[in-house]
Amino acid sequence: MSIADPARLTCPAPRSETGTVLLGHGSGGQLSAELLREVILPAFGPADAVPEDAALLAVDGAHLAVSTDAFVVNPLFFPGGDIGALAVHGTANDLAMMGAAPVALALAFVIEEGFPVADLQRICTSAAAAAAAAGTRIVTGDTKVVGRGAADGLFVTTTGVGRMLPGAAVSAAAARPGDVVLLSGPIAAHGTAIIGAREALGFESAIVSDTRALHRLVAAMLAAAGPALHTMRDPTRGGVASALNEIAVAARVGIEVDEATLPVPAAVAAACDLLGLDPLHVASEGCLAAIVAADQADELLATMRSTAEGQDAVAVGRVVAEHPGRVLLRTVVGGRRIVDLLVGEQLPRIC
Amino acid sequence: MSIADPARLTCPAPRSETGTVLLGHGSGGQLSAELLREVILPAFGPADAVPEDAALLAVDGAHLAVSTDAFVVNPLFFPGGDIGALAVHGTANDLAMMGAAPVALALAFVIEEGFPVADLQRICTSAAAAAAAAGTRIVTGDTKVVGRGAADGLFVTTTGVGRMLPGAAVSAAAARPGDVVLLSGPIAAHGTAIIGAREALGFESAIVSDTRALHRLVAAMLAAAGPALHTMRDPTRGGVASALNEIAVAARVGIEVDEATLPVPAAVAAACDLLGLDPLHVASEGCLAAIVAADQADELLATMRSTAEGQDAVAVGRVVAEHPGRVLLRTVVGGRRIVDLLVGEQLPRIC
């Protein structure tokens, strides 16, 4: 068995034999991809659409991006943030990954009867502050209430309308062999913070979600690299593994990552170890992966490091022509292993 | 006590003494208005905003409308439709009420683990068909899955981006004394169909939801009446009572409705009677209330009647300078009564 045919190395995902939706269908991993391919895209088409973080629209000469995300994070308040801020950052960042700045956000709540009004107030205030910090505003919304037991506390769906930034032409499909893979900062903090808070594992104080808006970082990156910046993706659900796999599949390229360069904070690494999690599969909410032409990589890295959000940016790998659609990790001991999409669901309701 | 001071006739709403969210906060009635005024608008501002069905945006010269709605209807499949079509129609119609045609829709699911994939497929197919029929497309989406018991089946949030139609300058605040109030068709079918299906009351076959897109009707109305068309509002949650009260408050005018002219189908009237519901408070999902300058009312009515969606359009009342912020009903026996916002929640989860 050769690494040149890595498809042979993977196990099939645990398909839903009963024809029901599984937790893993919301993981951002293999089952999510399957649901998208077999149910969602056949209905909404086109079936061969590249799954991007936002859709692009041209309306009367305006170049817009639109993105929507449902947030079901549990607990609603966690070290480093809450569902209100997370929902704003998540959607603003999905727009940013397409090279768009948020113009307006819409926010729809589904609330369980009996939910504390004071908590709703905190969440609204936090969302409004996050929107203001991201240079945008929540312009419309909706509130539905369901009976006790018909929802778990509060869910929120945030939709963003963004204006394309000058020079933005990024796409998951635009990665090219020879490109360099950058990460804007440490990974896996958000998911670890959530699971720590949920399970009261005692490391809550040490690990704080990295939830934040990345639009300033992205604007600086676009200004510095222009068309040499091929792809951006924020490694939320499914982590860096999902983000890079989606790029590898969309662009029909291989990606190689050097394990030694991966920025995993010590506390996060220890928590992942304790929980049996691979940090590559754990969500971040305040960093991004970027694919850039090699001759612009150093300059872009310097630009990223000059920003608050990108001060710890690093190069972690490269795009290759081999093993298209696959991500390989060069381990610290010199081996290579496939970095696959998450199978099933490790951490439900982390966003 | 004089009718000239109708505020003295109303009971206070059952406020949430325990500081928790009540079912009525999602009713579209008094508690919804209170939550908006006391929690939502103070956070997202401006606090004196006119609650419209959609927000208006100008981006690089393009005039856009944005609207979002969460749908939690129970059951998911009902006579005349399902949550997928309803979610598309509801959002497309909210755009239409501001004089905008839908350009793109975003759709986010929250799904309970164990939900049948076949039902998800039906819902997606229905939503896609409804979008196509409304001249638009679902361009982006999201799917989150929560554990068993953490949601009731499936919720969907639909967000629409619309392009303002030529000549559209409608607003809830634009109603003027002397204007005529029109309804595009029969009211209260949707809410009655849902409660009938939910409770298996046996009249399901007789009453079918009126859920449908109103963009063609609206385009015809704008073309016919132009700036004489002051206001449109679809009487969904909270029914005609909420729609007209919101207009009366926003425009600081009184509204008078003639009970004898109200188009309530006989089967719907009988069902409402049986259930102790006032049809004025029961949701429609396929008709609209319009406020038009008196000298254009006949022509607009003729135009509406020439369309499939407006063939049963009728004039039901007028805008007056008296009792600003209040809606009065002239009853068939010649009396007058206040048509207030719904107190509490009659029909939870009808949309």
Side-chain angles (χ1 to χ4, degrees):
Chain A
M1 194 158 61
S2 151
I3 197 79
D5 182 14
R8 293 170 58 196
L9 287 175
T10 57
C11 298
R15 292 173 64 93
S16 174
E17 299 300 339
T18 56
T20 61
V21 174
L22 306 175
L23 274 179
H25 283 120
S27 67
Q30 288 194 27
L31 283 173
S32 292
E34 181 187 304
L35 192 72
L36 197 66
R37 195 172 58 239
E38 297 182 6
V39 178
I40 310 283
L41 287 181
F44 300 134
D48 59 348
V50 171
E52 302 278 15
D53 280 339
L56 303 187
L57 282 185
V59 183
D60 296 339
H63 294 277
L64 308 173
V66 180
S67 184
T68 195
D69 272 292
F71 292 85
V72 297
V73 66
N74 170 27
L76 297 173
F77 301 93
F78 49 81
D82 59 60
I83 192 171
L86 180 68
V88 167
H89 295 154
T91 294
N93 288 349
D94 278 349
L95 294 176
M97 294 310 107
M98 295 304 290
V103 172
L105 300 176
L107 200 150
F109 290 113
V110 173
I111 307 179
E112 183 186 13
E113 184 187 14
F115 189 79
V117 171
D119 285 356
L120 177 62
Q121 235 151 2
R122 273 178 74 190
I123 290 165
C124 288
T125 304
S126 170
T136 186
R137 214 164 68 76
I138 291 153
V139 297
T140 191
D142 187 33
T143 304
K144 292 284 166 31
V145 182
V146 297
R148 281 178 201 272
D152 184 15
L154 177 145
F155 304 142
V156 56
T157 296
T158 318
T159 308
V161 177
R163 173 196 278 121
M164 294 302 286
L165 291 165
V170 290
S171 164
R176 293 285 168 267
D179 288 353
V180 175
V181 181
L182 309 178
L183 278 176
S184 69
I187 63 170
H190 176 74
T192 324
I194 294 292
I195 196 78
R198 190 187 305 162
E199 308 295 346
L201 293 175
F203 52 76
E204 295 96 297
S205 58
I207 305 179
V208 171
S209 167
D210 60 339
T211 182
R212 59 181 162 175
L214 297 172
H215 63 294
R216 276 181 297 260
L217 170 64
V218 165
M221 290 170 68
L222 282 167
L229 180 56
H230 294 161
T231 306
M232 289 183 288
R233 186 62 62 115
D234 55 341
T236 57
R237 268 188 301 177
V240 169
S242 277
L244 296 186
N245 267 284
E246 286 166 15
I247 295 167
V249 169
R252 300 164 202 267
V253 295
I255 293 180
E256 293 189 0
V257 174
D258 297 314
E259 187 175 26
T261 62
L262 281 176
V264 185
V268 170
C272 286
D273 221 35
L274 179 74
L275 296 162
L277 301 175
D278 182 344
L280 283 171
H281 284 143
V282 178
S284 303
E285 293 286 348
C287 81
L288 62 82
I291 311 276
V292 61
D295 59 358
Q296 298 284 312
D298 287 342
E299 193 191 324
L300 181 59
L301 205 49
T303 299
M304 292 167 74
R305 287 176 176 160
S306 72
T307 69
E309 298 86 355
Q311 58 183 328
D312 299 316
V314 284
V316 297
R318 69 210 65 78
V319 178
V320 297
E322 295 79 42
H323 52 84
R326 287 282 161 189
V327 180
L328 294 189
L329 187 73
R330 290 180 182 272
T331 66
V332 286
V333 295
R336 294 204 297 176
R337 73 168 172 89
I338 290 176
V339 178
D340 214 336
L341 288 174
L342 190 62
V343 180
E345 173 64 295
Q346 284 184 330
L347 293 175
R349 299 182 60 186
I350 46 109
C351 63
Chain B
M1 194 157 62
S2 152
I3 197 79
D5 182 13
R8 293 170 58 196
L9 287 174
T10 57
C11 298
R15 291 172 64 92
S16 175
E17 299 301 338
T18 55
T20 61
V21 175
L22 306 175
L23 274 180
H25 283 120
S27 68
Q30 288 194 25
L31 284 172
S32 292
E34 181 188 305
L35 192 72
L36 198 65
R37 195 174 55 239
E38 296 182 5
V39 178
I40 310 283
L41 286 181
F44 301 134
D48 60 347
V50 171
E52 303 276 16
D53 280 339
L56 303 187
L57 282 184
V59 183
D60 297 338
H63 294 277
L64 308 173
V66 181
S67 184
T68 195
D69 272 292
F71 292 85
V72 298
V73 65
N74 170 29
L76 297 173
F77 302 92
F78 49 82
D82 58 60
I83 193 171
L86 180 68
V88 167
H89 295 154
T91 294
N93 289 350
D94 279 348
L95 294 175
M97 294 311 107
M98 295 303 290
V103 173
L105 299 176
L107 201 149
F109 290 113
V110 174
I111 307 177
E112 182 186 14
E113 184 187 15
F115 189 79
V117 170
D119 285 355
L120 177 61
Q121 234 151 3
R122 273 178 73 191
I123 290 165
C124 289
T125 304
S126 171
T136 185
R137 215 164 66 78
I138 291 153
V139 297
T140 190
D142 187 34
T143 304
K144 292 285 167 26
V145 182
V146 298
R148 280 176 201 272
D152 184 15
L154 176 145
F155 304 142
V156 56
T157 296
T158 319
T159 308
V161 177
R163 172 198 278 122
M164 294 302 286
L165 291 165
V170 290
S171 163
R176 293 286 168 267
D179 287 355
V180 175
V181 181
L182 309 178
L183 277 177
S184 69
I187 62 170
H190 176 74
T192 323
I194 294 293
I195 196 78
R198 191 187 304 163
E199 309 295 345
L201 294 176
F203 53 76
E204 296 96 297
S205 57
I207 305 178
V208 171
S209 167
D210 60 338
T211 182
R212 58 181 164 176
L214 297 171
H215 62 293
R216 275 181 298 260
L217 170 63
V218 166
M221 290 170 68
L222 282 167
L229 180 55
H230 295 161
T231 306
M232 289 183 288
R233 185 65 59 117
D234 55 342
T236 57
R237 266 190 302 177
V240 168
S242 278
L244 296 185
N245 267 283
E246 286 166 16
I247 294 168
V249 169
R252 300 164 202 267
V253 295
I255 293 180
E256 293 188 1
V257 174
D258 298 314
E259 187 176 25
T261 62
L262 282 175
V264 185
V268 170
C272 286
D273 220 35
L274 179 74
L275 297 163
L277 301 175
D278 182 343
L280 284 170
H281 285 142
V282 179
S284 302
E285 293 286 348
C287 80
L288 62 83
I291 311 277
V292 61
D295 60 357
Q296 297 285 311
D298 287 341
E299 192 191 326
L300 182 57
L301 204 49
T303 299
M304 291 167 75
R305 286 177 177 159
S306 73
T307 69
E309 297 86 355
Q311 58 184 329
D312 299 316
V314 284
V316 298
R318 67 209 66 78
V319 179
V320 296
E322 294 79 42
H323 52 83
R326 287 283 161 190
V327 180
L328 294 188
L329 187 74
R330 290 180 182 273
T331 66
V332 285
V333 295
R336 295 204 298 176
R337 72 168 172 89
I338 290 177
V339 179
D340 214 337
L341 288 174
L342 191 61
V343 180
E345 173 65 295
Q346 285 184 330
L347 294 174
R349 299 182 61 186
I350 47 106
C351 63

